[in-house]
Amino acid sequence: MVDTTSSKPRRLAVVIFNLGGPDTPEAIRPFLLNLFSDPAILRMPNPLRWVAARLITSRRAATSEEIYSKVGGGSAILPATVEQAEALKKEIADTAEQVEVFVFMRYWHPLVRETVRRIKDFGPDRIVLLPLYPQFSTTTTGTSVKAFREAARKQGLAAPQDIVCCYPAHHGFLGATVANIRKALDEASHHGAPRLLLSAHALPRRTINAGDPYEWQVEMTSAAIVEALGRPGLDWATCYQSRVGPVQWIGPSTEDEVRRAGAAGLPVVVVPIAFVSEHVETLVEIDMEFREIAAGTGVPFFTRCPTVAVDCDFIRGLGDLVRSAVGREGVASDIGPRRCPMQFGTCPNNTVAH
C-alpha cells in the first residue's frame, strides 16, 4: 500500500466505468445504436458506420429484447456498479480530504457527459480514472477514456487525470477470483475431475491483429489464476464467449469447450475472468444458455463462479490501485510501468496518455 499522506489531494474524484446496459426494454435500441456507432466497435469511416450501426441495431434488437426479458427487461450492471462505487468510497476515504466516486457507462446512462458535469460541480483538484475492465482493450477502457477526456475538454474540466489502464494479475482481483474458484472446484470434484473454463468476452481477431493487447492480458489473467490455485494436474482452458456475426473471433469459444467437456463426461466450472459484475453475459449466456448446452451434451455437473462484485479482496485491491495512481500523472498499469510487450501498438502507454 502506498503512503499518500504527504501529497494528499484536497478533493479527489475517482471515476469507475463500464460498458453499461439498457435499464428498460425501451432503452435496448438506443443502447445498441450507441454501441455500434462507436468507431472503436465498428471500425469503418462515416457515413458507412452510421448506416451499418442502424442496420445492425435493427437486426439485433429483437434478439436483445428476448435476452433482457430473461432478467426482468433491463441490465443489472448499473446497480451493481453503484454498489461497487459505494464500497470503494469507504475503502479510499483516507486518500483525500474529500473523496467522491463517480460512475459512468459508455453506452447508456449515466453517460460520460452527465458524469463529467457532476464531477465539475464537485470541483476536484485530482481525478483518477479506474476501469472495471481488468484487461485493457481499445474496445473497452480505450474508448471509455477517450470519451471521458473529450467530454472533460468540452466542459472545461481541467483537473489532472491519473489513469489506471489495466490490472490483469492484480492481487485484489486475483484473490477474490481464486477464492470463488476454490469453492466451485471442491463442489465439482464430487462429480469427477473437473474442467475449469476461464471465460472472457471475445473480440474480433482483426482487433487483436491491429495491436490490441486484450487477448495477451486475458491469458496473463488465466495463468496467474492457475498458478495461485496451486493444483497440479488441473484441467483448464481459456475460452471466449459472446461471439456473434460472421467475422473471425478469438477462441476457442466457451460454448465449444462446454460441449467438449460433455463429450468427455467431465464436470465443468465456468469462471468469468473479464467481468467484475453480473450482467446478461453471466446471468443469461453462462447461467442459462451454457447450462442448457451442458445438460444436453453429457456434462455431469455444471457451475459458474460469481463475479467478484463487492468482494472485500477486490474492493481493497481497487483501493490500492487508486492509492498508487494518485499524483502519478498519466497512465500506468497495476505494476506501474508498461505491462504490454512492444508489439502491442495500441497499448495505452502509446495512445491514451498522449
Side-chain angles (χ1 to χ4, degrees), residues 17-19 35 38-43 106-107 131-147 163-168 200-218 221 240 249-250 274-275 331 333 339-340 344-349 351-352:
F17 51 91
N18 213 322
L19 181 86
L35 173 67
D38 186 351
I41 304 300
L42 276 188
R43 301 190 175 200
R106 183 64 181 94
Y107 303 117
L132 293 179
Y133 307 105
Q135 304 88 11
F136 177 86
S137 173
T138 53
T139 63
T140 55
T141 301
T143 181
S144 298
V145 170
K146 181 179 179 182
I163 302 169
V164 178
C165 63
C166 59
Y167 43 97
H201 198 292
L203 282 185
R205 173 55 62 188
R206 65 172 177 264
T207 301
I208 302 300
N209 291 346
D212 194 296
Y214 174 76
E215 183 181 26
W216 180 79
Q217 291 200 4
V218 166
T221 298
Y240 297 88
W249 295 84
I250 57 176
F275 309 124
V331 60
S333 72
R339 261 199 181 275
C340 304
F344 296 110
T346 61
C347 169
N349 280 284
T351 55
V352 173

Side-chain angles (χ1 to χ4, degrees), residues 12 71 124 163 184 194 235 278 289 303 308:
L12 175 66
V71 289
I163 302 169
D235 181 1
E278 306 292 353
E289 296 173 7
T303 191
V308 292

Side-chain angles (χ1 to χ4, degrees), residues 111-153:
L111 294 166
V112 64
R113 62 178 178 271
E114 303 164 18
T115 299
V116 166
R117 193 177 305 121
R118 291 178 55 229
I119 295 170
K120 188 176 180 183
D121 290 343
F122 174 67
D125 53 357
R126 189 140 221 112
I127 299 169
V128 172
L129 297 179
L130 179 63
L132 293 179
Y133 307 105
Q135 304 88 11
F136 177 86
S137 173
T138 53
T139 63
T140 55
T141 301
T143 181
S144 298
V145 170
K146 181 179 179 182
F148 184 90
R149 299 189 117 181
E150 288 177 353
R153 178 181 54 80

Side-chain angles (χ1 to χ4, degrees), residues 60 115 151 196 246 258 297:
R60 291 283 299 276
T115 299
L196 180 67
V258 171
T297 56

Side-chain angles (χ1 to χ4, degrees), residues 41-120:
I41 304 300
L42 276 188
R43 301 190 175 200
M44 57 180 67
N46 270 330
L48 289 178
R49 187 174 64 254
W50 186 91
V51 173
R54 280 150 182 80
L55 285 173
I56 296 170
T57 295
S58 178
R59 292 173 181 173
R60 291 283 299 276
T63 299
S64 294
E65 287 166 5
E66 181 181 354
I67 291 171
Y68 280 104
S69 72
K70 297 177 180 179
V71 289
S75 174
I77 196 168
L78 180 57
T81 306
V82 169
E83 190 177 4
Q84 289 169 322
E86 291 170 351
L88 180 59
K89 181 178 178 179
K90 294 177 182 177
E91 172 65 29
I92 60 173
D94 63 337
T95 57
E97 294 177 24
Q98 188 172 353
V99 178
E100 191 59 65
V101 179
F102 297 87
V103 171
F104 82 84
M105 296 293 172
R106 183 64 181 94
Y107 303 117
W108 199 239
H109 301 286
L111 294 166
V112 64
R113 62 178 178 271
E114 303 164 18
T115 299
V116 166
R117 193 177 305 121
R118 291 178 55 229
I119 295 170
K120 188 176 180 183

